[in-house]
């Protein structure tokens, strides 16, 4: 039985985030007896370190010239399916399908995965948010990582019957030794990219508010990004003693085992892996009503959600959760996490590849 050839395309910058993890997990867990894979990714991105098989991974730049290099690779390799992930790859993938169809009569099945529709302000002024969706009709299938994102895409004009929701999934076995029922709020953690999208300024406002209240709660901030200097300066300028910037972390399960609550005040999200991993470890969560977050955190059940950017509501939610039954919320977090399985995610994506080829 011949194998289907799948080429993955992801062209984000240097930080390793949720979309990179998603692609790496598919590459590592896909059925090798049925699928032959190739990965094209941005030079310097650390996702390469997490691939089990690096032989079929191609590092490439993000310039216009590199677009033609990618076009050449796709034309030469003739994959059955090109699976594009995140903004730049979605644009490139759709253009490549158009060019190959019109000028080379090459039939290429295209699956695009939208990991969220947020566009930074410095890029939105160039109309990137419009360009991403310009050739949306060329997708054979568009995958969303949450039900919310699915409805967003349909509202943007994507064909309803071509948009499928497949939740991000995690390997539960990785967190077996870190999964426990929490009983009180003592150690609070943030994990994520240190960018405006993650609501870093709102997080620091919450920490400052707790510091002024002479709280005995400890805050630890894990992640990397261009706001690291801002965080350190904020902590120093405000003489905050109960908060630390810890930088990038590899063993996230150890962090969650030592923590009692995750705070994630994001401005925008798709479906964050960090939240799924945290609840699987038994952490309640305070986050925001954005993207697929309400599909992970049920307010009043395993945490609380507030409107993004509402600092007053964020502080009130933090005060409220300290008086909740944390053991019950912790149980609920673990229960809710069961629908976010890596095995289910990969099998569902494999089914979409096969459907494309029929």
């Amino acid at each position: 039985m011949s194998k289907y050839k799948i080429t993955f395309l992801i062209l984000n910058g240097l930080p390793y985030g949720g979309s990179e993890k998603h692609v790496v997990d598919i590459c590592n867990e896909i059925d090798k007896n049925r699928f032959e894979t190739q990965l094209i990714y941005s030079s310097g991105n650390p996702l390469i370190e997490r691939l089990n098989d690096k032989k079929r991974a191609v590092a490439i730049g993000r310039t216009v010239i590199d677009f033609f290099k990618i076009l050449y690779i796709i034309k030469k390799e003739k994959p059955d399916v090109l699976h594009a992930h995140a903004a730049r790859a979605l644009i490139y993938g759709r253009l490549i399908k158009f060019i190959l169809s019109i000028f080379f009569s090459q039939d290429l099945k295209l699956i695009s995965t939208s990991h969220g529709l947020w566009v930074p302000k410095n890029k939105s002024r160039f109309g990137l948010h419009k360009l991403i969706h310009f050739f949306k009709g060329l997708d054979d299938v568009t995958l969303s990582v949450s039900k919310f994102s699915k409805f967003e895409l349909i509202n943007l004009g994507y064909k309803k019957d071509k948009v499928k929701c497949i939740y991000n999934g995690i390997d539960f076995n990785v967190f077996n030794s870190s999964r426990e029922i929490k009983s009180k709020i003592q150690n609070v953690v943030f994990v994520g990219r240190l960018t405006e999208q993650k609501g870093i300024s709102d997080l620091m406002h919450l920490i400052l508010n707790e510091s002024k209240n002479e709280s005995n709660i400890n805050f630890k901030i894990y992640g990397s990004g261009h706001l690291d200097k801002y965080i350190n300066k904020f902590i120093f300028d405000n003489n905050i003693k109960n908060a630390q910037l810890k930088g990038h972390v590899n063993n996230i399960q150890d962090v969650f085992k030592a923590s009692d609550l995750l705070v994630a005040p994001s401005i925008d999200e798709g479906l964050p892996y960090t939240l799924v991993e945290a609840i699987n470890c038994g952490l309640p969560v305070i986050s925001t009503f954005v993207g697929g977050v309400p599909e992970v955190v049920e307010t009043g059940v395993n945490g609380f959600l507030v409107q993004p950017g509402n600092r007053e509501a964020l502080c009130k939610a933090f005060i409220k959760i300290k008086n909740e039954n944390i053991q019950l919320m912790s149980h609920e977090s673990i229960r809710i996490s069961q629908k976010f399985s890596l095995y289910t995610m990969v099998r569902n994506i494999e089914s979409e590849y096969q459907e494309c080829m029929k």
Side-chain angles (χ1 to χ4, degrees):
M1 180 179 177
S2 60
K3 298 180 181 180
Y4 292 124
K5 294 176 67 176
I6 314 295
T7 295
F8 299 96
L9 180 63
I10 183 165
L11 300 169
N12 293 345
L14 294 184
Y16 179 90
S19 52
E20 284 82 12
K21 174 177 171 51
H22 182 86
V23 172
V24 169
D25 282 344
I26 301 171
C27 289
N28 287 343
E29 300 298 328
I30 197 168
D31 185 347
K32 305 299 191 300
N33 293 317
R34 293 191 293 152
F35 301 97
E36 177 185 321
T37 61
Q38 178 186 45
L39 171 64
I40 303 173
Y41 71 101
S42 293
S43 299
N45 194 293
L47 69 82
I48 186 65
E49 300 165 9
R50 301 166 190 252
L51 279 180
N52 292 341
D53 183 4
K54 300 176 176 61
K55 296 191 295 293
R56 294 277 294 164
V58 180
I60 205 154
R62 285 154 42 92
T63 68
V64 174
I65 293 174
D66 292 299
F67 167 79
F68 290 101
K69 292 179 181 178
I70 296 168
L71 174 63
Y72 174 78
I73 292 170
I74 302 298
K75 181 179 180 298
K76 179 184 176 183
E77 293 291 330
K78 293 183 171 57
D80 296 303
V81 176
L82 175 63
H83 192 169
H85 294 261
R88 188 183 297 262
L90 264 62
I91 296 170
Y92 280 17
R94 290 162 182 168
L95 285 173
I96 287 169
K97 175 170 179 172
F98 177 79
I99 291 170
L100 291 179
S101 174
I102 297 298
F103 297 103
F104 299 98
S105 299
Q106 184 174 329
D107 182 30
L108 176 68
K109 300 297 182 182
L110 176 63
I111 293 180
S112 295
T113 293
S114 171
H115 293 272
L117 301 180
W118 185 76
V119 177
K121 290 181 180 179
N122 65 325
K123 293 184 178 180
S124 62
R125 68 173 181 267
F126 297 112
L128 181 62
H129 58 299
K130 295 180 180 178
L131 184 60
I132 291 172
H133 309 292
F134 190 74
F135 287 109
K136 60 181 177 287
L138 291 174
D139 290 2
D140 290 278
V141 178
T142 307
L143 299 180
S144 68
V145 294
S146 69
K147 293 177 182 176
F148 177 88
S149 293
K150 176 181 177 178
F151 293 128
E152 267 191 320
L153 291 167
I154 292 170
N155 288 336
L156 284 168
Y158 287 74
K159 291 184 178 180
K160 188 175 181 179
D161 61 337
K162 286 189 175 184
V163 182
K164 310 287 182 66
C165 170
I166 298 179
Y167 281 135
N168 287 340
I170 62 170
D171 183 354
F172 297 144
N173 293 325
V174 172
F175 301 96
N176 281 344
S177 62
S178 303
R179 192 177 302 117
E180 58 185 34
I181 302 302
K182 310 299 178 178
S183 58
K184 62 180 181 178
I185 303 298
Q186 182 66 54
N187 297 299
V188 179
V189 66
F190 167 91
V191 180
R193 294 191 307 275
L194 305 181
T195 65
E196 291 82 1
Q197 180 191 356
K198 299 299 182 179
I200 297 299
S201 61
D202 298 331
L203 173 70
M204 300 315 296
H205 177 82
L206 170 64
I207 293 173
L208 177 60
N209 188 67
E210 282 297 304
S211 177
K212 287 179 178 178
N213 293 334
E214 298 184 352
S215 170
N216 63 348
I217 291 176
N218 299 308
F219 293 87
K220 292 184 179 179
I221 303 169
Y222 290 89
S224 58
H226 69 273
L227 292 181
D228 54 354
K229 292 179 181 178
Y230 158 77
I231 293 171
N232 275 324
K233 186 175 186 301
F234 189 98
I235 292 172
F236 178 81
D237 290 349
N238 291 284
N239 195 30
I240 297 173
K241 303 297 185 183
N242 61 334
Q244 293 176 293
L245 176 58
K246 306 293 287 185
H248 178 73
V249 60
N250 288 320
N251 297 321
I252 192 64
Q253 59 269 34
D254 295 336
V255 171
F256 290 145
K257 185 173 184 177
S259 304
D260 307 305
L261 173 71
L262 177 74
V263 176
S266 298
I267 304 302
D268 186 85
E269 287 290 356
L271 192 140
Y273 274 101
T274 298
L275 268 65
V276 174
E277 292 166 344
I279 67 171
N280 189 246
C281 289
L283 272 69
V285 177
I286 294 177
S287 191
T288 49
F289 286 104
V290 294
V293 172
E295 296 163 52
V296 182
V297 182
E298 298 177 16
T299 194
V301 178
N302 68 324
F304 291 103
L305 299 177
V306 301
Q307 291 302 324
N310 190 331
R311 294 179 176 180
E312 182 180 356
L314 183 66
C315 291
K316 285 182 178 179
F318 193 83
I319 293 170
K320 188 174 183 179
I321 203 166
K322 287 188 288 186
N323 297 314
E324 290 290 320
N325 184 333
I326 299 304
Q327 285 186 327
L328 180 58
M329 283 194 160
S330 184
H331 275 290
E332 288 299 312
S333 278
I334 294 171
R335 178 187 64 80
I336 292 169
S337 74
Q338 299 308 301
K339 63 183 178 180
F340 303 103
S341 158
L342 173 61
Y343 179 86
T344 302
M345 180 190 87
V346 176
R347 299 293 85 78
N348 287 341
I349 290 171
E350 288 175 346
S351 294
E352 294 302 329
Y353 296 156
Q354 291 179 299
E355 285 296 315
C356 261
M357 299 309 301
K358 287 183 179 178

